[in-house]
Amino acid sequence: MEIFNLISSVCLNDSTQQLPKSLVPSLADSEIVRISTYYKIRVDDSTGVNYIAHLLHDGDSLPPYSVRCERISKINFPEEVKARALGPTTLLAFLGCAMSCALLALSIHLQDGMALLATILLSFLSTLVGIGSRWRLVLSERKATRTVPISDVVINYPHGAFVIVKCEEDVARSLYWAPEECKYYRSTRSYRLISLIGTLILMFGVICLGNATINVQLGYAASYIILNAAYWIVAALPQRWNWDLRCYDRVPEPYQGGEKNKSFTTALWKAIAISGTTKWVRVAGIAPVTDAWDMWLRKAAQVIKDEPCTFDDKTGLFKLPDWDPEEYLSTAHTEINAADIDRAQNTGGAMV
């Protein structure tokens, strides 16, 4: 029972209003590539990280040019991904309910019948809206049982950070391949009928509130200000706090050198070394399309082929190949520039 939850509902007076079918992807400029098949994921003709996957990886906390390796598995947990029972939004519901009770008590104390009726109507309205728009999250599931290649993926964020995810096909399918689906408990026709009833309740509630005493109206104004501030505070909190993600086990896999890097070149090299291949780089369009970078990618592929990434039992870290990507890229640029100059001089001499 909360009065002002109706503020966050969408267009009750619009009978053609459609409920969202999926969650909005986070960081729409991010790239996700499957390592084994070098497949670049697209969501509605634009790339992006699915909402739940972004929360799970905590991509907002990644510094620029950082590289993180994680292993994600789905554990035997009775519940799927769902809203947290005692999250910040739940506290908002309790706060709104408490204010409804306070306004109800104030109306009774002042013996204001119109205020009492307004409180009952508007409190029931938010409950009605919640019933009409109630939904649960449904993640994509793999139906087939045939053998498929490894499903490890690489996520490239706009600020140059990388996340290498090692996972099974079932996990990759539910988190990356398809957007999450919002499964509503009510049909579209039922939702529109509830919206119509809610609109009428809202109109009568506002009329009753307009005829209430000034003291109750001031109470409503104070309640709105407090709730509005509370909603702003909750919106500023990490979205991860609102979701129960215990069905997924996220285990970091640290490696020598650490996650932080000073340049994009070093970050890309670490992502290549951990993934074990360079082919996904061109598929995702991450590296510049130049002769120097082509030369650099060929050398990187040769290095990881001769000296693949191995696990060091003594340190408990993955050991990357001993190679300086910055120095080799500078060498590649120098050689390509020298070749271009020679070619231009030879072409000019031939024309003379």
Side-chain angles (χ1 to χ4, degrees):
M1 230 182 103
E2 182 187 347
I3 297 177
F4 293 103
N5 273 343
L6 59 94
I7 301 171
S8 60
S9 64
V10 287
C11 300
L12 280 175
N13 59 338
D14 187 358
S15 60
T16 61
Q17 181 71 24
Q18 295 294 325
L19 292 168
K21 299 300 182 182
S22 62
L23 299 179
V24 179
S26 300
L27 296 177
D29 293 332
S30 303
E31 307 282 357
I32 306 180
V33 186
R34 185 198 290 258
I35 295 176
S36 59
T37 55
Y38 324 119
Y39 172 69
K40 179 179 178 181
I41 301 174
R42 291 186 173 273
V43 181
D44 295 334
D45 296 329
S46 64
T47 55
V49 182
N50 284 349
Y51 185 82
I52 296 300
H54 179 69
L55 295 181
L56 195 63
H57 296 301
D58 197 15
D60 293 331
S61 66
L62 288 173
Y65 309 132
S66 60
V67 180
R68 180 180 297 171
C69 182
E70 299 176 338
R71 182 174 296 278
I72 294 183
S73 59
K74 194 168 185 179
I75 60 178
N76 187 16
F77 193 73
E79 299 287 346
E80 296 290 333
V81 176
K82 62 175 185 177
R84 184 170 292 180
L86 294 177
T89 53
T90 308
L91 298 180
L92 285 177
F94 281 121
L95 178 61
C97 181
M99 289 188 174
S100 292
C101 294
L103 290 172
L104 190 65
L106 178 63
S107 302
I108 295 174
H109 175 70
L110 296 177
Q111 297 183 353
D112 190 337
M114 297 302 291
L116 179 63
L117 187 58
T119 303
I120 294 174
L121 289 174
L122 295 178
S123 297
F124 178 71
L125 172 60
S126 71
T127 304
L128 184 65
V129 172
I131 294 174
S133 58
R134 188 187 177 197
W135 58 277
R136 62 184 178 89
L137 190 65
V138 178
L139 302 179
S140 176
E141 295 183 359
R142 182 169 177 254
K143 305 298 183 182
T145 57
R146 57 181 175 271
T147 303
V148 294
I150 59 173
S151 300
D152 298 352
V153 299
V154 175
I155 304 175
N156 173 223
Y157 288 95
H159 57 291
F162 293 88
V163 175
I164 295 87
V165 184
K166 299 180 179 180
C167 60
E168 300 293 336
E169 173 66 19
D170 293 341
V171 175
R173 183 71 61 89
S174 61
L175 291 178
Y176 309 109
W177 300 157
E180 305 92 348
E181 180 184 357
C182 299
K183 184 70 174 180
Y184 290 92
Y185 290 90
R186 305 289 179 267
S187 64
T188 303
R189 181 175 298 178
S190 299
Y191 169 73
R192 291 177 178 175
L193 178 60
I194 292 175
S195 298
L196 173 61
I197 298 174
T199 302
L200 297 176
I201 293 176
L202 175 62
M203 294 170 62
F204 285 113
V206 171
I207 293 172
C208 292
L209 182 60
N211 289 276
T213 59
I214 187 63
N215 291 334
V216 176
Q217 292 179 356
L218 290 175
Y220 267 86
S223 300
Y224 171 76
I225 293 173
I226 294 173
L227 276 179
N228 192 37
Y231 272 104
W232 274 99
I233 293 173
V234 169
L237 297 177
Q239 292 296 314
R240 184 185 177 92
W241 294 4
N242 294 315
W243 292 92
D244 186 353
L245 305 174
R246 289 178 294 174
C247 60
Y248 288 105
D249 184 28
R250 182 171 65 110
V251 179
E253 293 197 349
Y255 54 89
Q256 293 179 349
E259 295 182 354
K260 296 182 179 180
N261 305 285
K262 295 182 179 180
S263 67
F264 174 78
T265 304
T266 303
L268 179 59
W269 158 243
K270 287 186 177 180
I272 290 173
I274 296 172
S275 64
T277 180
T278 61
K279 294 182 179 180
W280 57 268
V281 178
R282 283 298 183 219
V283 174
I286 294 174
V289 184
T290 63
D291 293 336
W293 273 97
D294 288 341
M295 182 177 174
W296 185 88
L297 287 172
R298 288 194 296 269
K299 180 63 176 178
Q302 186 62 42
V303 170
I304 58 178
K305 180 179 180 181
D306 297 338
E307 188 183 351
C309 182
T310 57
F311 184 75
D312 190 344
D313 294 328
K314 295 181 179 179
T315 61
L317 304 174
F318 284 91
K319 182 180 180 181
L320 304 183
D322 185 14
W323 183 58
D324 189 344
E326 296 284 355
E327 181 180 354
Y328 189 84
L329 182 60
S330 300
T331 302
H333 278 295
T334 301
E335 293 181 5
I336 295 298
N337 290 338
D340 291 341
I341 292 173
D342 291 340
R343 189 180 304 109
Q345 290 176 349
N346 294 334
T347 303
M351 293 177 63
V352 173

